[in-house]
Amino acid sequence: MMEYWKRSISELHALLAEGTLSARALTEYFLERIGRLDTQYGAYITVCTEEALAAADRADGMLKAGKGTLLTGIPLAVKDNISTEGIRTTCASKMLADYVPPYDATVIRLLKEQGAVLLGKTNMDEFAMGGASQTSYFGGVKNPWDPTRVPGGSSGGSAAAVAAGLCVAALGSDTGGSIRQPSAFCGVTGIKPTYGAVSRYGLIAFASSLDQIGVLAKSAADCETVLAAIALPDENDGSMLPQALQLPGEARPLSGMTVGVPAEFMGEGTAQEVKDAVEDGLSAFTHMGARVKPVSLPGLRFAVSAYYLISSAEASSNLARYDGVKFGYRSRKGDTYDELIKNTRSEGFGTEVKRRILLGNYALCSGFYDAYYGRASRIRDQLKAEYAGLFTHCDLLITPTAPTAAYTIGAQEDDPVRMYLADVCTVTANLAGLPALNTICGYTAQGLPVGMSLVGRPGDDGLLLNCAKAFEAVFPRREALA
Ligand code: GLN
């Protein structure tokens, strides 16, 4: 049997286009793998067997008619906070456990137009709040490299599905690192595009000024193929960039490029094994002709505080809509409207979501507004300015993606402060709206993948993908499964 799960999108496309493989057979192949393997990982919340097979048949029709594109018939997975018409979309919450959206998110519409096949909806932290994918109402996700470890989060189901070969590529969302950090923990590539490059219409909101849909896949090349299909203007999202991304990006050689390495990311809090792997990655960039130089991002020490204030403030407002009236879970207890809301929200949300709603409401209280939200916004502006300064003399920056490799399930998820601090490497790109990509740069002594992040100027997603493709061509990547 061909190991289709190890193949790139372009290899699969070649087989589909020449007719040696049908989209239906490829879809059945992945559905069989999900049925056989996913009980070990819990990567999917919903598997859409019937819809996937119907989509595969439509894709075969497109291919026969010569109307296929690179994504026609390619089986993909989608994080369960992206709305899919007729397919339940839960945000891994009891609140939306039975919610079936009446419309498709723009990214889903665009993928369907290309004839891509949606295999199912992937598991995540409840409402995308978390970094370990253990707060799901449907149970936690396990890392395919070692099922006693977390896959990272919040897009842990998408990352685990890619790593275990339970889809070809997957969509995730990233508010403070939720695509990059699970990509690092699961040994795959993941890109959070520039803010405004991909429509958020139909993405169930966590923190609207930070949320961005992106791609997780086996390689930067596959990420680029999927991103090119979804990074298109959409009048339903007023926060989009005026121009579509240039993908593939201009092919610039690495020689002559300047890579900045902000020293603050490589300090005490970062594990030695991670620093070593990132140093190896940087040496590869030097070998390919890039100039690597130390730089500084002093605002980093305030970044986690600013991120948690701003994201929780926005979340408290975005999640106010779950009142038990319009959609989602409704408590059976309570005689008045106020009691209905209180009981619905008490029963429907998990602990971490409630913690953020409380934090966000507190920060937005009149009287506190300037002391908390106002200061956090000023830190955000300062970070943007510091990045803009660095990009006057650097083409891109490289940092670790996370301070450690994947840790054991239960090791730190109950300690919010430890969990929040672990986001230090990723949140600044969201606060500044920058594109950021995780690629794998080494393995720990225990054989766990280590990720490094490439961060670029707004709109330089294509440049990051090109650099990552060049790096991935020389880096020997391992598979999670044999
Ligand atoms: N771990 C971060 C948080 O808990 C990021 C989450 C995300 O990007 N969705 O908020």
Side-chain angles (χ1 to χ4, degrees):
M1 170 73 108
M2 284 278 275
E3 291 185 307
Y4 295 126
W5 66 278
K6 292 185 178 168
R7 302 274 158 252
S8 69
I9 294 177
S10 60
E11 287 169 338
L12 291 170
H13 170 69
L15 296 174
L16 291 165
E18 71 194 23
T20 43
L21 174 66
S22 69
R24 190 177 181 83
L26 187 61
T27 300
E28 284 171 345
Y29 169 89
F30 277 100
L31 289 170
E32 189 277 330
R33 278 185 73 84
I34 295 169
R36 181 159 47 86
L37 297 173
D38 199 38
T39 46
Q40 297 169 50
Y41 308 120
Y44 283 89
I45 291 176
T46 303
V47 181
C48 326
T49 305
E50 275 170 38
E51 294 88 345
L53 292 171
D57 289 342
R58 282 196 298 278
D60 280 325
M62 283 172 76
L63 288 158
K64 278 210 185 77
K67 295 197 176 120
T69 68
L70 271 174
L71 286 180
T72 308
I74 299 294
L76 304 177
V78 171
K79 188 176 181 178
D80 210 18
N81 59 351
I82 298 175
S83 301
T84 42
E85 182 181 353
I87 296 169
R88 78 174 172 154
T89 300
T90 69
C91 274
S93 180
K94 179 175 179 181
M95 192 58 96
L96 292 175
D98 300 314
Y99 170 62
V100 178
Y103 71 104
D104 277 328
T106 296
V107 291
I108 300 295
R109 174 177 62 75
L110 291 168
L111 290 174
K112 281 184 177 173
E113 282 170 15
Q114 302 269 323
V117 173
L118 171 62
L119 290 169
K121 306 297 294 290
T122 55
N123 208 347
M124 52 185 277
D125 281 297
E126 186 180 5
F127 280 98
M129 298 174 186
S133 300
Q134 304 303 307
T135 66
S136 168
Y137 176 61
F138 300 91
V141 185
K142 298 189 169 72
N143 190 320
W145 290 82
D146 173 355
T148 68
R149 291 176 189 270
V150 303
S154 64
S155 311
S158 288
V162 172
L166 307 180
C167 62
V168 177
L171 296 187
S173 69
D174 192 311
T175 305
S178 280
I179 288 176
R180 291 157 285 157
Q181 183 257 29
S183 300
F185 282 15
C186 289
V188 302
T189 305
I191 182 164
K192 178 204 94 72
T194 303
Y195 184 78
V198 177
S199 171
R200 287 183 295 109
Y201 181 69
L203 169 67
I204 298 179
F206 162 11
S208 311
S209 78
L210 303 160
D211 295 343
Q212 197 54 193
I213 293 174
V215 189
L216 301 91
K218 290 192 290 289
S219 67
D222 282 359
C223 283
E224 181 175 83
T225 303
V226 179
L227 185 59
I230 60 171
L232 295 173
D234 176 18
E235 61 185 23
N236 289 319
D237 178 354
S239 63
M240 289 201 75
L241 299 171
Q243 278 158 347
L245 290 181
Q246 282 295 320
L247 291 176
E250 178 200 349
R252 266 173 63 191
L254 272 169
S255 56
M257 262 196 233
T258 305
V259 177
V261 183
E264 291 81 358
F265 289 80
M266 300 287 263
E268 256 175 53
T270 305
Q272 193 56 44
E273 286 186 304
V274 170
K275 288 189 232 179
D276 292 346
V278 173
E279 291 292 353
D280 289 347
L282 292 169
S283 308
F285 271 80
T286 310
H287 267 287
M288 291 186 292
R291 190 161 81 91
V292 174
K293 70 171 184 187
V295 296
S296 176
L297 190 77
L300 184 70
R301 64 198 183 101
F302 306 116
V304 170
S305 312
Y307 166 78
Y308 274 92
L309 265 158
I310 291 170
S311 64
S312 300
E314 292 186 21
S316 70
S317 161
N318 275 326
L319 272 61
R321 73 189 70 176
Y322 305 105
D323 57 2
V325 177
K326 294 184 284 293
F327 43 64
Y329 176 77
R330 173 181 294 181
S331 173
R332 290 170 195 279
K333 287 186 280 174
D335 297 324
T336 65
Y337 176 65
D338 284 357
E339 281 174 22
L340 170 72
I341 294 181
K342 191 171 107 188
N343 293 332
T344 293
R345 291 168 69 81
S346 303
E347 295 161 24
F349 290 134
T351 309
E352 184 58 27
V353 175
K354 286 180 193 159
R355 182 165 20 239
R356 310 241 186 157
I357 292 172
L358 289 174
L359 176 65
N361 276 315
Y362 182 80
L364 291 177
C365 282
S366 66
F368 293 152
Y369 184 89
D370 194 57
Y372 294 118
Y373 192 83
R375 275 168 86 184
S377 302
R378 286 194 287 280
I379 292 171
R380 185 178 197 172
D381 290 341
Q382 183 187 327
L383 279 164
K384 277 188 196 164
E386 286 180 15
Y387 270 117
L390 292 179
F391 287 124
T392 60
H393 53 96
C394 297
D395 296 294
L396 71 151
L397 307 172
I398 289 186
T399 72
T401 301
T404 65
Y407 48 84
T408 309
I409 292 173
Q412 67 181 50
E413 303 93 282
D414 295 337
D415 180 346
V417 175
R418 272 181 78 185
M419 284 300 289
Y420 296 175
L421 287 173
D423 294 328
V424 63
C425 300
T426 45
V427 294
T428 52
N430 302 77
L431 287 167
L434 308 175
L437 175 152
N438 170 72
T439 185
I440 302 306
C441 58
Y443 297 88
T444 65
Q446 286 172 303
L448 298 167
V450 177
M452 67 177 181
S453 285
L454 280 50
V455 181
R457 298 184 184 97
D460 266 356
D461 308 53
L463 177 89
L464 297 186
L465 286 159
N466 277 340
C467 292
K469 282 190 281 185
F471 173 74
E472 290 177 4
V474 297
F475 177 78
R477 199 179 275 192
R478 305 179 193 164
E479 296 277 7
L481 308 183

